[in-house]
Amino acid sequence: MANLLITGGAGFIGSHTCLVLLQAGHRLVVLDNFANSGPEALRRVAELAGLDGWSTSGSGSWATADRRLTLHQGDVRSRRDLDPLFAAEPIEGVLHFAGLKAVSESIEQPLHYWGVNVAGSVSLLKAMEAGNCRTLVFSSSATLYGHPERVPIAEDAAIRPINPYGQTKAAVEQLLADVAASQPGWRLARLRYFNPVGAHPSGRIGEDPLGTPTNIFPLLSQVALGRRPVLQVFGHDWPTVDGTGVRDYIHVLDLAEGHSAALALLLSEAPQLLTLNLGSGQGHSVLELANAFAAASGREIPLQHSARRPGDSAISIADPGAAERCMGWRSRRGLAEICRDGWAWQQANPRGYGT
Ligand code: WQD
């Protein structure tokens, strides 16, 4: 099995992927600046993976007794934080989750988003080159498709981002293509997520947004819990089954398994640049999602219909065929399981990891 660096591994998707990678036998070194996360998520990942002795060395580092999982507080923009990780031991592959991901925030703070998402990726790639590591799985996003011309969306659809967040994802994808073309030996996967939701069924790890979330699933969870009075429904006049927005919601564990499959493919094959959609291929409206969550939680979900949200599109659904063809992966968990697992997390952790 491999020695891997996971940037942003304490975050929502990163922590679930760390668990799947540990269960696959890999050894992980995590770098995270805790901008939207903390060490508690990985303490629980170690527990779920059956690893003992999680403790801190006091200087912003934590590790399990067998060092199968180590965590360093640090920033991908800093070579001072990155280079020692490659010098300490040979890193055979990197999964790069570290980045900012809120569309509305990216519109207010483009410089910050380009600094973290793009300059951070440049810094990481330079450290990888210096550390003689040329295998990378990149956390990209379906947001780079913008308003799709047709759905389901395949990987050859036009790249037309409509906000700075999507622009940064498209820019890093282009950077990876340029690096792959310039130097032999790079094994690269660009994984385009649709809408990651849900949580590990244990209720021990899940999505713990900092401040007020903008994406629907944590908002829905907080309404069910009674922390929020209503769920605002943005638009009731879309050309969809019931007038509300339709999205491709993918269970975070399906997404984590997709990363593990992409890594295995890169490690086992010749240098390549892989670009794959990670979605379920199923679309669900806001009302369908709210009804499924009400059924899973047994709670009322009061709705308040309001105007469309600027920048939204009516429908976004993945064509997941390429991922199935090239790595035998497809999502396995449906909407009921997504809502059951998401509710288990929210109910057990009313204040997230701060509970
Ligand atoms: C989903 C649907 C809204 C909130 C975002 C990011 C994207 C990706 C996934 C990282 C839409 C509706 C939402 C609310 C609502 N993240 N909605 N009331 O916009 O599809 O994608 O998350 O890669 O980059 O843009 O997700 O959860 O914000 O919205 O009615 O309070 O729910 O209109 O139809 P989105 P979302």
Side-chain angles (χ1 to χ4, degrees):
M1 289 306 163
N3 224 33
L4 305 171
L5 170 63
I6 319 292
T7 73
F12 171 41
I13 300 167
S15 57
H16 286 77
T17 306
C18 282
L19 177 57
V20 168
L21 293 172
L22 287 169
Q23 290 168 336
H26 297 294
R27 186 172 171 282
L28 312 183
V29 177
V30 177
L31 180 73
D32 200 303
N33 68 0
F34 301 152
N36 191 17
S37 62
E40 174 60 12
L42 288 180
R43 187 190 69 78
R44 297 188 188 190
V45 164
E47 171 195 291
L48 290 168
L51 302 179
D52 299 324
W54 178 260
S55 64
T56 176
S57 61
S59 57
S61 291
W62 291 258
T64 54
D66 62 2
R67 300 189 69 77
R68 279 270 321 280
L69 175 63
T70 60
L71 165 63
H72 301 280
Q73 183 174 5
D75 198 307
V76 285
R77 291 168 291 181
S78 159
R79 292 289 302 272
R80 199 175 48 248
D81 291 346
L82 274 172
D83 290 354
L85 304 180
F86 287 95
E89 52 208 306
I91 300 286
E92 295 156 80
V94 178
L95 288 92
H96 181 29
F97 295 101
L100 302 172
K101 66 175 180 72
V103 168
S104 48
E105 187 184 55
S106 76
I107 294 164
E108 292 153 16
Q109 304 177 39
L111 203 51
H112 188 37
Y113 268 66
W114 279 84
V116 174
N117 292 1
V118 179
S121 297
V122 170
S123 165
L124 174 64
L125 285 160
K126 285 181 173 178
M128 289 178 67
E129 199 177 37
N132 198 25
C133 174
R134 283 173 173 51
T135 300
L136 172 74
V137 177
F138 171 60
S139 166
S140 189
S141 169
T143 304
L144 53 64
Y145 292 120
H147 294 302
E149 280 172 6
R150 61 181 180 280
V151 287
I153 305 170
E155 287 81 356
D156 61 357
I159 305 297
R160 289 191 306 216
I162 55 173
N163 53 63
Y165 167 68
Q167 294 282 6
T168 65
K169 290 300 183 181
V172 177
E173 285 211 5
Q174 183 56 57
L175 168 64
L176 294 176
D178 292 348
V179 166
S182 71
Q183 296 167 358
W186 286 90
R187 301 181 294 190
L188 302 168
R190 305 180 296 189
L191 303 183
R192 295 173 179 171
Y193 307 165
F194 279 69
N195 289 61
V197 288
H200 189 270
S202 65
R204 297 291 291 151
I205 57 175
E207 186 172 9
D208 184 14
L210 200 61
T212 304
T214 57
N215 49 329
I216 192 164
F217 202 78
L219 286 165
L220 198 46
S221 304
Q222 291 176 7
V223 169
L225 198 65
R227 270 184 62 186
R228 287 180 190 282
V230 297
L231 175 78
Q232 276 203 9
V233 180
F234 295 141
H236 209 167
D237 58 352
W238 292 104
T240 64
V241 59
D242 57 21
T244 63
V246 170
R247 293 293 184 273
D248 183 329
Y249 296 103
I250 176 169
H251 196 294
V252 63
L253 279 181
D254 281 332
L255 202 60
E257 290 164 4
H259 283 73
S260 183
L263 175 76
L265 185 74
L266 292 184
L267 290 174
S268 66
E269 291 196 359
Q272 59 186 308
L273 173 64
L274 205 54
T275 304
L276 295 172
N277 287 337
L278 293 189
S280 71
Q282 304 293 317
H284 292 287
S285 74
V286 172
L287 296 185
E288 287 168 341
L289 178 64
N291 290 337
F293 205 96
S297 62
R299 300 290 179 91
E300 284 295 307
I301 308 284
L303 303 176
Q304 181 181 62
H305 289 287
S306 59
R308 293 180 177 186
R309 180 175 62 175
D312 267 356
S313 52
I315 302 178
S316 170
I317 301 173
D319 172 350
E324 181 159 22
R325 286 189 297 276
C326 85
M327 57 184 196
W329 170 92
R330 72 174 305 132
S331 72
R332 298 185 291 120
R333 298 162 176 93
L335 202 59
E337 199 167 346
I338 283 170
C339 293
R340 182 201 68 192
D341 295 345
W343 177 238
W345 154 255
Q346 185 69 85
Q347 209 177 16
N349 304 274
R351 295 277 170 207
Y353 289 113
T355 296

